[in-house]
Amino acid sequence: MERALLERLQRRLSPGAADARGRIQALCSARSLIANPDSTESTRRSVVDALVASVRHHQDDPAFVHHALKLLGDAAVLCRPFAHSVVAAVRPFLDGGHSLTADAVASLASVVEADNGGGGEGFSLVASALDGDRILSLASSPIVAVRSQVLDLLVRSVERGRFWDSFGHHTTIQVFLGLAMDLYPLVRKRACDGIIALLREAAGGVDRLIVECCYDRAVVLLKDEEKLVRLTAVKLISECGELFAASQGETEHSEQMDVVFVQLCLMARDMCMEVRFEAFVALGKVRLVHETVLLQSLSKKILGIKSGKAIVECSTKGTKISLLSAAGAFVHGIEDEFYEVREAACRSLGMLTIFSVKFAYEATNLLMDMLNDDTEVVRLQTLQTLSHMANYDRLTMQDKHMQMCCLCHQLMVKIEDSCKILQYISGLHSIQTLEFSSHYVICEILQFLGLLADISASIRCLARKLLQLVKLPDFISFRDTIDCLISNLEAFPEEEEDIFFVLFSVGKRHKNFSAKLAKEFAKEIDLSCGELILDSHEVAAKLVLFISSSFSSGQRTTDIPMALYSYAVPFSGRIARALSGAVDQDSLLAYLCSHSKKIHKICTSSMPIHIAISDITRKGNVLDFSEILTCSEQTQEKCVFLNEETMQSIKLNLETVRKTWPLMKSHCTQVVQNMLRACKEELETIAWNADDGDASSFLDFAALYIQVIQLVTEILDKSLPKKSCIIGMTALDIILERLDMSLRRLRYGFSGLQRDEECHILELMLLSYVFRLLEIGVSRKPILARLTSTISRLEFLCEGPSNLSVFAKEVKHACTEGTATLFSNTYVFHKLLELFYPEQITFTGRFKQKKAEVLVIGNDSENPLTFVLGLPVGIFFRITLYEILNSDRLWLLLAVGESIQYVFLDLSQFEGCDAVRSCTLNVPFHGTPKAASFLLRASVGIECPSEDVTNHSKGQGWPVDDYAIICKENDVHFISVNNR
Amino acid sequence: MGIECLVLGAGQEVGKSCVVVSMGGKRIMFDCGMHMGYLDNRRFPDFSLISKTGDFDAALTCVVITHFHLDHVGALPYFTEVCGYHGPIYMTYPTKALAPLMLEDYRKVMVDRRGEEEQFTYDHIMECMKKVTPLDLKQTVQVDKDLEIRAYYAGHVLGAAMIYAKVGESTIVYTGDYNMTPDRHLGAAHIDRLQLDLLITESTYATTIRDSKYAREREFLRAVHKCVAGGGKVLIPTFALGRAQELCILLDDYWERMNLKVPIYFSAGLTIQANMYYKMLIGWTSQKIKDTSSVRNTFDFKHVCPFDRSLINASGPCVLFATPGMISGGFSLEVFKQWAPSELNLVTLPGYCVAGTIGHKLMSGKPTKIDLDKDTYVDVRCQIHQLSFSPHTDAKGIMDLVEYLSPKHVILVHGERPKMALLKERIQSELGIQCYYPANNEKLLISTTQNVKIDVTKKFIRNCSSAMLRNVKNSSLSISDSSSKYTEIIKLAREDTTAEGILLMEKTKTAKLIHENELLRTLGVKEHQVRFAFCCPVEVTRMEHLSNEANTTHCHENSFRKVDVPRCLATEDRLTTANKTLLHILLSELETRTECKNIQIASESLQLHTFHVCVCSDEHCSHRKKENGVGESVVYFCCSWSPCDDRLARELLQIMGRLTLSC
């Protein structure tokens, strides 16, 4: 194939062939032969040879030569070895002012391009074909294509770092400068590009006079009509400016640079966005500018009229330019319509601050405003600029920044942005050492964004975290900060712990300030004649602050009035909790008491105080807060200990519950109910103090268990023979249902249940089935089936029927006897009840709760979702699952009134591990009712696999077996589109 | 020829903008506004100055409206429907959409509320609008054969435009109102660099220089938030279009950010309709809004809802936008009466209030009591906040625009007389541009430079561009190129480009500029060249004898024969070689003596620019100096040169005369 093609091609291209069309077609096959990666080297060579020969013979056919030259150029790019033949073939076309010259030069340009990275052979070949005079004559060709191609060739070679050695860059500059005034804008632009590349490549090796020439040319081009040319001219000016500055050495400032700066400022008011952008980028690179000029660029008003320096004119080399033209360049820059320009202006502003303290001071004002910009990129750039300034010690704090009220500075910063910003700062902070100036940055940012009052909890939290790190410069800002935190506390009381912790840190860090504040506060107390209302957020917060300052290392602070410690005593619990286990309540209490001298009066706590006190004594009577914070292991131990303690108290409660059984059987229902209620309350108290972990699972379990027992008691109460009338107990089935549900949750909602524990629950389930059978008009068959399956499970757990409890045995017996009627016999029933005596079960509490959290995104009663009658509606759920195993089958239940739509939750869609996994789902709800509005209840249920394995069939639209709800029910509000 | 400018309105005042420009036989009316401060016939421009007979169709070529504010469009229905102008009217799309809203609102207020005699009816407005041709930005409209107009983005309000008009060689720009800095919903004015004879610019803030907008926004939000947080009500009297939307964007964003639940109300009617138009005309807003509009239309305010009259006395804080802006009547006055007596409440005033309105009274010192009429008065205890948002550019902006466009003349309109005088001084002294600020009904004649149109040939144009490099090439070849190696580059950079050509004035034809090479062909004349020649004898000391006879017989023919011709006789070959050797020897001698590397060797001659040297074999060469006693050891070199290289040639000849070649 290749050979055949080649032969045909050679035939068509042969000098004798007269067919012009055939030649053009042959070029196509030539192109494919050259481009085909499988072509052999010899084929390519033959093709190129044929081309070269035919070009020589058909010079009179411009259409053919045009394409052939182009193809030769491409061939040179593909195969470097052909460069020689290509240059030779092209050479005859370089003379004469026809358009083929342009093609010839373009081919040479490709040779140079192909030489990139090569040994420079191609370049020298081209250079031999084009000497200085030829280049000049080509560059002055009246044909624009030739000019632009020559220019292109020169620019490319300069960019590749190759100068036309035969005549040095002298002639190259001549060509560039000459063509920079060409009629055609693209030629002008390219010439400018060339000059820039040349100046860069020469890297300072260019004579200053030449640079000035280039600069002058660029100044002329700044007024060009074409924006591309203006753009390149700005770049060129910037390049020249750098060279000027470099040649100036270390001198303080140069008049020439002033002019460059002003020129660029002028361009910063250009009508074209790209030019403005480039101008601001260039402004950032300028150095050695006089301070007056710099300052002028920050103010639209004319500066220095008083000092008589209003009009500083610079007339170097005849170009006169008023420095006033720089007025307000940056003010315009940061107000620009395009964020790209604002960003560039901001960056350059930061770069220029290095040169002048005064400029930095003024620039801070502008930058502060830019924190309110409505584009994220700009805000981030602003932060970067601020930190840059801080690095160079150019960021000075101004009172007016600090005093600005938190409330009014958050025009535009959206939630997610602020998050990013804060993360950014935190990151910044972790890298940098806590330098004094960077404190200011954060402080200002916090103040300016007013983030403490932000709508998003995470931002508030992050903001507070940062606040802990900040060193506040003076008392006023300290007081402002504290006031901010207090109002924060008033607005978000649920975040008390976090706020207390921050207050604690702040107080510790600013000992003297808080002492001062404490004295003021003590005076207030005196004035209030003891009628201080302790139950206010302000007082609580301040007390935390005051006691914190005494926690600092070193000498014990005596500046804090003693009375305050005593006031703080009632808060000891809250404070201890806020310090998240760093110090336990008892030691804190003891510490407070030891300070307040009123120890005897106040200490009515039953806790063994002496231990705590001795504890403190061991630590040198001073709790070093930083020490506490650093030794996290200790804290962890304490946490574990705390956990143990909680577990123990839960177990104690469950023990009490167990003790109720005999009472229950002796029908002391009231007493039992009271006891259970007390247990429940106690558990709630424990829950209040406990943190997450095993204990919380156990707590939930215990609460559920107690509820089960309560329900059982209730049922027993209702089924008492003395009441005699079971008929019409409408409430019974409801209670039974609740019991069922709770038991299911106990059994399936917790993983890691011990054998004993599971047996106990199964027995309780048996009991509930037995209760069921008591109901009138109930279909017995399914209940019996369940009974059987539960018993078989029990047998499996107890390793044989013989190990079953008496109660279970009896139930089994009743079942297998088939005498279902047995159950309706109240006698048998009561006998069974008598038999039901739970084992001396003790719960280990080492299990995990399966939980789900369902969050409906963007919906509450104020913001209902809209729906169209009869059409499905999509709901966004954020579902988080805890401790769910892969084998579990979960369903999302969407209930409207009685009807429930089940949605299977595919665990593969969730991210995370068994412990926590979460996912955002868009779930369509199909059964929209014909109503103006409705309420949908969403919850997650875990399927309770039936013991009967044979009955398993999957893939239906609803749970095959029963399910247990494992999350709080969520309301989703809907409103019809028509009613909106 | 000149441009005649008749200022019918907004001359040394703000209000009823109307400028009639005549140029090249065309007459264009820019804007046709009404003055809000007058109720008599001073309200409209004095149209009789345009045409005494009232035949406006003949007197005017077209009317162009820059934007929908009443002081720019207010008199249009009156002019078209009552005065009877039926010619073309141009305005941008948004202006066409929004102007009828403004006009109708005004008409209603005037006629329905104040019970005035109506100047035009609703039908008039509608009829008038039907005649309007809408314009798009940067779209060139050929009004007739000679007149073309083009609109540029002006900022200011939605759809505001600057108008460029061109008749023949005369070009002008009428800016209307514009803003050089972007605001929350509109971009900055944008115009191309144009060659202008005249720029007519507004000068509302001729002396003010404004600070960054951020500070102003902050002030406003702080005032509003403080009031609302204290349980007060905020009344924001605004015009329905423009500032209201900007403030709304600002507040809506702030509310969102601060999670405020206090309601923001918009008094129903016009404003709601206007918001709808803003939503549709999103393409005329700022870059930011355009960019985000695919996600969310900024004018779909989340927190803004329509106001119901019953809510005036409802308890609790709220923010209310109400028209008209200067509390001159209407709904804002109604609300003001209710809310002003409470200290909790806040009234924000627009940047500018016309004298006589309540807004103006509130601005000039804080009164405690305001008389509505002789029987009723309002206790003013509420707080007052003055807004400093303005859609007009400041003095810096005006200067920037003038500098950018660099027109030959500037006319200031739409400003206050003393301030205009100051600005005029600045423009003249700093920018060196003639500036005027005529009063109303004043006519101004501006002379424009006369341009003569000539033809040019293609070749001339082509050569313009390359002329400069050619110059360099010529001058760079001097005998010694080692000295001052940068001079020509510097010359190149410093000198202005001048293109040289020859101007031909043929009978009954337009003048034509041609390239010098074309001249002879165009005139059909042959070229004459002057060359100097001298046959210079040079002494040769021969190492090897060469027959002089042979030399003489064949040299003549040989001198025109090319070297690379393959066919060559032995003797000829030898002779040529001998001559060539001589030339080579001469070349090397010359090079060593002159240090010049530019001498080139051609087939049979040496060349340095126009200086040619070849071996002369003609005994009777006419350029030979008859000298006796010339020995055999002399070889003649025939030299010729153009007058331009005379000096060079003489130097070289001197050197050659002193030479002794050895071969």
Side-chain angles (χ1 to χ4, degrees), chain A residues 782-896:
Chain A
I783 298 174
L784 282 175
R786 279 185 193 182
L787 268 176
T788 338
S789 65
T790 312
I791 289 166
S792 55
R793 172 76 187 163
L794 260 174
E795 280 175 356
F796 168 75
L797 284 174
C798 301
E799 292 156 351
S802 51
N803 294 340
L804 285 179
S805 64
V806 192
F807 168 72
K809 271 182 187 158
E810 199 54 41
V811 175
K812 189 190 172 192
H813 177 72
C815 285
T816 45
E817 289 299 295
T819 48
T821 42
L822 256 175
F823 287 108
S824 56
N825 188 329
T826 38
Y827 168 71
V828 181
F829 172 71
H830 282 287
K831 191 180 151 210
L832 273 179
L833 268 190
E834 284 306 315
L835 286 175
F836 183 78
Y837 197 82
E839 296 287 320
Q840 292 289 328
I841 167 108
T842 45
F843 292 95
T844 57
R846 299 272 171 241
F847 37 67
K848 291 188 168 119
Q849 187 181 11
K850 294 181 181 179
K851 262 195 312 195
E853 277 168 14
V854 178
L855 192 78
V856 184
I857 296 170
N859 179 277
D860 56 54
S861 55
E862 294 300 313
N863 301 310
L865 295 173
T866 50
F867 74 100
V868 181
L869 292 183
L871 288 183
V873 57
I875 312 163
F876 267 102
F877 286 108
R878 175 85 194 162
I879 300 177
T880 317
L881 303 176
Y882 298 93
E883 305 295 346
I884 298 293
L885 304 174
N886 278 326
S887 54
D888 289 329
R889 281 166 61 80
L890 295 181
W891 295 84
L892 179 65
L893 279 62
L894 306 174
V896 175

Side-chain angles (χ1 to χ4, degrees), chain A residues 225-297:
Chain A
E225 281 183 10
E226 185 58 39
K227 67 177 181 184
L228 278 176
V229 182
R230 293 204 298 272
L231 192 70
T232 331
V234 168
K235 283 186 192 161
L236 180 52
I237 293 251
S238 157
E239 198 67 39
C240 293
E242 279 179 49
L243 289 174
F244 288 150
S247 67
Q248 283 281 324
E250 291 301 307
T251 31
E252 277 276 291
H253 111 274
S254 118
E255 210 170 61
Q256 200 165 20
M257 291 314 289
D258 290 350
V259 180
V260 171
F261 187 81
V262 175
Q263 289 282 11
L264 291 173
C265 282
L266 273 176
M267 294 317 283
R269 291 294 284 147
D270 197 272
M271 287 282 177
C272 167
M273 187 271 273
E274 287 88 354
V275 178
R276 289 200 300 271
F277 172 76
E278 205 54 62
F280 277 112
V281 169
L283 274 175
K285 296 181 189 158
V286 180
R287 293 188 288 136
L288 308 178
V289 183
H290 197 273
E291 195 173 54
T292 352
V293 187
L294 279 178
L295 288 175
Q296 183 64 75
S297 70

Side-chain angles (χ1 to χ4, degrees), chain A residues 723-743:
Chain A
K723 299 270 165 76
S724 72
C725 181
I726 313 174
I727 308 158
M729 280 167 51
T730 45
L732 184 61
D733 53 346
I734 296 172
I735 298 170
L736 273 171
E737 196 55 51
R738 279 173 65 190
L739 178 62
D740 236 21
M741 195 52 112
S742 303
L743 280 169

